[in-house]
Structure formats: structure tokens, C-alpha cells
């Protein structure tokens, strides 16, 4: 799968998780979904930062450079919120508001990637995007497997 298609698929999966948590009342299930969201976002941002963004940056256009730098800053904000989650009480009245803010942050960021960065990334060519996608998927699955075992 092309790297850009893999990342789009993961964006969809995370959006679905946010939808699910929004419609979940029970504290236990909320906690479980919060863990799932954390793992998905940590793995996703890692393969973007370590593999995808450097490839886009390698295109060496000013636009690519600017988009990558902005994306790193947005990831930084997402990670600040993720770091708070273990202390968040799923039964607290602030829970839903916190999830909404995180979800909007992620959605805005993912939309920008899809509408701008992934378009520019097509300049890498189909073959390179396919090869990169395969490596990224492998790394993501390895990360998720490890994180899943730690959470269990
Ligand atoms: Fe991103
Ligand atoms: Fe992304």
C-alpha cells in the first residue's frame, strides 16, 4: 500500500475510535478506548516523523519544508495531551470536553496532511511510496504489538 494510503487509512481508524468513545458512557470502556487511541496515535505519529516526513522533506521544496515543520509542531501538541491521558478520569465531567478537543486537534491536522502534504508527496513516485508504505506498516504493527502487550 502507498504510504499516503496507509496514513489515510489510519486517520480513518482514529476518527472512528473518537466517534466510538464519544458514544460510550461506561468508565471502563472509555479507559480501554482511550488506551487504543493513545497507541494508535503514538504509532502513527512515530512512523510519520521517522519515515514519512523525512521523505517529504527530501523533496527539498520550500512548501514541503514548511508543511513538515508545522506538522511536527502539531504532533507536539497532540503528544502533550496524550501524556495527560493516564491521569484523566473517564468519569469526570471534563472527560467529554477533553476528548472533543483532542479529536478536533487530530482531525484538523489529519485534514491538512491529506489535502496538502499527501498531494505534494505524490512527487516521490508510486514505487517509492509503495516501498515506504510497506516499511511503515511493518514498523507500525511491531509498535502496536509491543504496546498492546505492555498494556495487557
Ligand atoms: Fe501527522
Ligand atoms: Fe497523519
Amino acid at each position: 500500500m502507498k504510504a499516503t494510503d496507509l496514513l489515510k487509512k489510519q486517520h480513518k481508524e482514529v476518527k472512528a475510535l473518537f466517534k466510538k468513545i464519544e458514544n460510550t458512557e461506561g468508565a471502563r470502556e472509555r479507559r480501554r478506548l482511550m488506551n487504543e487511541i493513545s497507541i494508535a496515535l503514538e504509532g502513527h505519529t512515530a512512523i510519520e516523523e521517522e519515515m514519512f516526513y523525512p521523505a517529504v522533506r527530501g523533496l527539498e521544496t520550500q512548501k514541503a519544508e514548511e508543511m513538515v515543520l508545522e506538522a511536527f509542531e502539531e504532533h507536539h501538541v497532540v503528544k502533550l495531551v496524550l501524556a495527560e491521558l493516564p491521569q484523566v478520569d473517564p468519569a469526570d465531567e471534563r472527560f467529554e470536553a477533553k476528548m472533543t478537543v483532542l479529536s478536533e486537534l487530530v482531525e484538523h491536522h489529519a485534514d491538512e496532511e491529506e489535502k496538502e502534504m499527501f498531494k505534494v508527496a505524490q512527487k516521490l513516485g508510486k514505487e517509492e511510496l509503495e516501498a515506504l508504505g510497506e516499511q511503515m506498516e511493518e514498523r507500525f504493527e511491531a509498535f502496536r504489538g509491543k504496546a498492546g502487550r505492555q498494556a495487557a
Side-chain angles (χ1 to χ4, degrees):
M1 194 187 301
K2 274 159 74 183
T4 41
D5 291 335
L6 171 71
L7 294 172
K8 268 190 219 168
K9 183 174 88 113
Q10 294 184 349
H11 289 167
K12 262 198 202 142
E13 287 166 358
V14 168
K15 280 180 201 172
L17 284 173
F18 275 117
K19 194 98 232 129
K20 220 167 168 183
I21 205 166
E22 195 189 310
N23 295 315
T24 299
E25 296 288 334
R28 247 183 98 89
E29 182 64 4
R30 278 180 170 182
R31 170 68 62 199
R32 194 190 66 74
L33 286 167
M34 233 178 1
N35 280 337
E36 221 179 302
I37 289 171
S38 281
I39 291 169
L41 285 176
E42 274 172 40
H44 180 81
T45 51
I47 60 173
E48 284 186 338
E49 291 182 7
E50 290 163 26
M51 304 166 92
F52 185 70
Y53 292 173
V56 172
R57 211 168 181 176
L59 290 167
E60 289 183 343
T61 70
Q62 200 191 340
K63 176 87 180 147
E65 179 81 8
E66 278 169 15
M67 284 186 307
V68 166
L69 289 174
E70 193 182 316
F72 266 108
E73 290 310 312
E74 287 177 350
H75 280 191
H76 175 67
V77 180
V78 168
K79 286 176 195 176
L80 289 176
V81 181
L82 288 182
E84 275 188 5
L85 292 189
Q87 281 81 255
V88 169
D89 177 2
D92 191 274
E93 63 167 11
R94 289 174 62 191
F95 181 82
E96 277 176 54
K98 203 175 263 295
M99 284 305 123
T100 302
V101 170
L102 179 60
S103 151
E104 283 171 357
L105 195 65
V106 168
E107 194 150 328
H108 161 82
H109 172 72
D111 281 352
E112 264 191 6
E113 283 182 339
E114 290 183 18
K115 287 189 186 126
E116 296 177 20
M117 194 192 288
F118 293 2
K119 262 192 203 140
V120 171
Q122 300 309 313
K123 284 193 194 135
L124 290 166
K126 191 169 182 298
E127 235 167 83
E128 186 165 347
L129 284 171
E130 293 269 1
L132 189 60
E134 212 167 294
Q135 290 165 23
M136 284 162 59
E137 191 163 19
E138 230 168 77
R139 170 127 172 65
F140 180 83
E141 290 308 328
F143 171 84
R144 187 155 68 177
K146 201 172 136 212
R149 280 195 300 279
Q150 275 165 358

